[in-house]
Amino acid sequence: MAKSLSYGLNEALIRGAAAIGMSKLPADQTALGKIAELGTGILKEEGERRQKAEDAIDNTIAQVLADDGTLSDQHFDLATKQSQEYKEAYMQGVRMNNDEGNILKTKALNDLRKLSNSSNEETVLRKNLAKQKEDGLLSDNLDITTFNAYLEHDYTLKYKNNKKIYEINGTDYTYDDIKLFQNDLKNLDIKNINDTQINSLEDYVTYNPQTNTKTFKDERFNRIALDSVANTKRGFANQMKDNTIGGQQMSDLIMNSSTIVEEFEQQFPGFKFVDADGSGEIERSEKLDMIADAVLNTTNSAFDLQNSRQVIADLLTADARNKAQKDGLFYVDPKTSGSGKEKDSIFMSAVGGYVDKAGVDNDVALLNSDAQDMPLTNSYNNLSWGRQKGQYYYLDPKTSKPVKTNYNSLLAMLKFDKKHGIERSAFIDLGNLNDGLEKKPEGFDDIKKLTQSITTVNRGDKNSG
């Protein structure tokens, strides 16, 4: 049964068993001293030699067993047993009184020295762990069951290959395993560094005077984000539990990503997802669950630390870029000549004004392309769209969720026609969205509203969205 442990400020409570421990010590501790004092000087006269040696070794043993009330009873009992064995070996060396006996004594003293160091180290460790827990310094990912069992002496202590083994709930832990708990400190680097960068988003937006456009410094943001992620499995696991981004858990960043499934499928085209619920169809949520587990669960066979670190950095970068877009940091006033006519801009009814012509030309070039896959692109009116295996889709500006669509409805949302250089398919008028459509795309009924909302946002209301 576990012993209760107080984490109060009174150190006497942490030393709860001190009185009991003292009662187990030899009555006379006045000779507690340094092992180094044991030497040939105490062997001057044969009549006193053995008594002095025994007194000295008893005092050394007392030092070993001075547990300050922090060692468990079973730990104390084992240390006592070992100390007596080392004492017998030492006294045998004293009785031999020759070179071989001196070797035996030296070994016994060394064994006692190791036992003493081990006991003292453990008392310090246990106090430190209790203090770290009391001060709230440890990770939320802490194995609290094993941690508390160790502090409360709720284990079976044994030795294997001269190493202390703590059996806790049927699992063996070495002393080195237990020591790792003191390194499980809460690490909020990801959140703190990301918050600092988000507060300075303007520094990551650069202006290109030749194209009169602004772009995001993805590489710089990504590098700083990557450096904030722990580079050990244990540290990574702790960070994933301790850090939040905009109130979201790290797992939420993956589950709410609009493109991670497509990116994952592109990077690992042979990967087989599993129909977890047996519905006969592998839903997007099931794919997200499997990707999240592979990225965050360090015990998953597919887990790779460096890949996972990069995924987290990429998600943080994408999140920052999207925020910069929503905050209107990519907006550029169109260039005009002295006559008032636009030089490098073009009037687009979708935004009710002039926009950078280079952005429109980029959209047109992609729409005229026959490529089966197109990267996610921010259009001139900030609609994010792309093409995956021949399927067009756009991101709902309110939810950032992908919505399937087709070529003609995408043209309507962008308000493109032949005068803009479109070469493919039929064209549709925003006033009659049924024209030229073979099948209503998903979200068809909301296209007018969506286009209107996008128009509103891009007319200069930078606080919208």
Side-chain angles (χ1 to χ4, degrees):
M1 183 176 179
K3 300 178 183 178
S4 62
L5 174 67
S6 170
Y7 297 110
L9 296 178
N10 190 341
E11 187 175 343
L13 295 180
I14 298 179
R15 302 182 180 186
I20 298 175
M22 292 295 291
S23 69
K24 299 176 183 178
L25 296 176
D28 182 9
Q29 298 184 68
T30 58
L32 279 178
K34 303 175 182 177
I35 293 175
E37 293 176 356
L38 295 171
T40 57
I42 65 175
L43 304 176
K44 292 181 179 179
E45 298 182 9
E46 180 64 23
E48 300 177 355
R49 185 176 61 85
R50 293 188 184 182
Q51 186 58 50
K52 289 183 178 179
E54 185 160 358
D55 288 344
I57 198 66
D58 281 345
N59 287 328
T60 301
I61 292 172
Q63 185 177 357
V64 171
L65 300 181
D67 68 344
D68 200 20
T70 59
L71 293 181
S72 66
D73 288 342
Q74 56 182 319
H75 200 141
F76 187 94
D77 292 342
L78 279 173
T80 301
K81 180 180 178 181
Q82 286 184 301
S83 295
Q84 292 301 322
E85 290 175 355
Y86 298 149
K87 173 185 175 179
E88 291 174 6
Y90 179 85
M91 292 309 299
Q92 181 181 349
V94 171
R95 289 191 295 271
M96 292 170 65
N97 196 22
N98 55 24
D99 290 343
E100 186 177 349
N102 288 335
I103 294 175
L104 195 59
K105 288 191 302 179
T106 300
K107 184 179 184 307
L109 286 175
N110 285 336
D111 288 338
L112 270 171
R113 191 175 288 115
K114 292 178 182 178
L115 182 61
S116 176
N117 291 339
S118 173
S119 298
N120 291 334
E121 183 182 9
E122 182 141 17
T123 61
V124 172
L125 173 66
R126 188 167 176 275
K127 291 177 185 178
N128 287 345
L129 290 178
K131 184 62 175 173
Q132 286 178 324
K133 186 67 171 66
E134 181 182 61
D135 293 344
L137 300 177
L138 296 174
S139 170
D140 291 340
N141 194 50
L142 182 72
D143 179 0
I144 192 66
T145 301
T146 302
F147 181 88
N148 282 348
Y150 172 73
L151 285 188
E152 298 177 1
H153 303 315
D154 189 12
Y155 53 74
T156 299
L157 182 64
K158 51 192 176 182
Y159 279 83
K160 288 183 179 178
N161 300 323
N162 293 323
K163 289 186 178 180
K164 284 186 290 188
I165 302 295
Y166 307 82
E167 183 182 333
I168 301 175
N169 296 326
T171 301
D172 287 348
Y173 298 87
T174 66
Y175 182 64
D176 287 338
D177 292 332
I178 298 298
K179 284 199 298 184
L180 290 176
F181 282 131
Q182 65 186 341
N183 298 327
D184 286 333
L185 300 176
K186 187 169 293 189
N187 182 344
L188 300 179
D189 283 355
I190 294 177
K191 179 184 185 304
N192 293 339
I193 292 175
N194 186 75
D195 286 349
T196 298
Q197 293 190 97
I198 291 297
N199 289 334
S200 304
L201 272 184
E202 296 86 351
D203 296 341
Y204 291 92
V205 177
T206 182
Y207 173 69
N208 185 338
Q210 294 180 340
T211 61
N212 196 33
T213 59
K214 292 181 179 180
T215 56
F216 193 77
K217 296 180 181 178
D218 292 78
E219 184 177 349
R220 178 186 168 197
F221 192 101
N222 194 279
R223 183 177 64 255
I224 296 175
L226 181 63
D227 288 342
S228 73
V229 184
N231 57 10
T232 66
K233 277 189 177 183
R234 191 170 180 127
F236 178 87
N238 290 341
Q239 275 193 321
M240 295 306 104
K241 189 68 176 290
D242 292 337
N243 287 263
T244 57
I245 301 298
Q248 296 185 92
Q249 296 291 330
M250 303 305 291
S251 57
D252 294 334
L253 285 182
I254 295 177
M255 299 302 292
N256 295 333
S257 172
S258 59
T259 60
I260 194 169
V261 171
E262 289 74 21
E263 292 170 358
F264 187 88
E265 289 177 331
Q266 285 184 354
Q267 186 172 356
F268 305 102
F271 186 86
K272 299 296 182 182
F273 289 100
V274 178
D275 180 15
D277 60 7
S279 64
E281 179 181 356
I282 303 177
E283 301 174 354
R284 184 180 182 84
S285 60
E286 292 178 301
K287 293 181 178 181
L288 286 170
D289 281 335
M290 282 179 269
I291 293 174
D293 196 67
V295 171
L296 302 178
N297 182 3
T298 58
T299 64
N300 188 310
S301 60
F303 177 83
D304 180 276
L305 177 60
Q306 298 311 320
N307 285 346
S308 293
R309 293 179 70 238
Q310 188 62 62
V311 168
I312 297 301
D314 291 347
L315 288 171
L316 295 175
T317 303
D319 187 64
R321 191 192 314 112
N322 290 338
K323 180 170 176 51
Q325 178 178 322
K326 290 179 181 179
D327 289 351
L329 299 182
F330 294 143
Y331 175 78
V332 180
D333 288 327
K335 291 182 178 179
T336 58
S337 64
S339 63
K341 294 183 179 180
E342 288 66 28
K343 183 178 180 182
D344 294 321
S345 59
I346 183 172
F347 183 85
M348 296 299 294
S349 58
V351 298
Y354 287 89
V355 299
D356 178 38
K357 188 173 183 300
V360 174
D361 291 343
N362 180 66
D363 287 333
V364 170
L366 289 174
L367 287 167
N368 286 337
S369 170
D370 291 324
Q372 289 294 299
D373 295 299
M374 297 178 186
L376 192 64
T377 301
N378 288 328
S379 71
Y380 75 93
N381 64 348
N382 285 337
L383 177 68
S384 295
W385 64 277
R387 186 172 178 176
Q388 182 73 30
K389 297 180 180 179
Q391 172 66 60
Y392 285 100
Y393 68 94
Y394 65 90
L395 301 186
D396 188 312
K398 294 181 179 179
T399 65
S400 295
K401 300 293 184 182
V403 179
K404 292 181 180 179
T405 187
N406 63 24
Y407 180 81
N408 286 332
S409 60
L410 189 59
L411 287 178
M413 296 172 74
L414 297 172
K415 281 200 169 183
F416 279 153
D417 55 31
K418 290 182 179 179
K419 70 181 180 182
H420 299 115
I422 296 296
E423 300 172 353
R424 302 178 55 223
S425 190
F427 303 100
I428 47 177
D429 188 307
L430 187 61
N432 186 3
L433 288 175
N434 285 316
D435 291 350
L437 294 182
E438 298 178 358
K439 183 179 180 181
K440 285 187 177 182
E442 182 176 340
F444 171 80
D445 294 331
D446 294 329
I447 289 179
K448 285 185 178 180
K449 294 180 180 179
L450 179 62
T451 306
Q452 292 169 356
S453 69
I454 294 172
T455 301
T456 301
V457 170
N458 288 279
R459 280 174 177 166
D461 185 2
K462 297 182 181 180
N463 295 321
S464 300

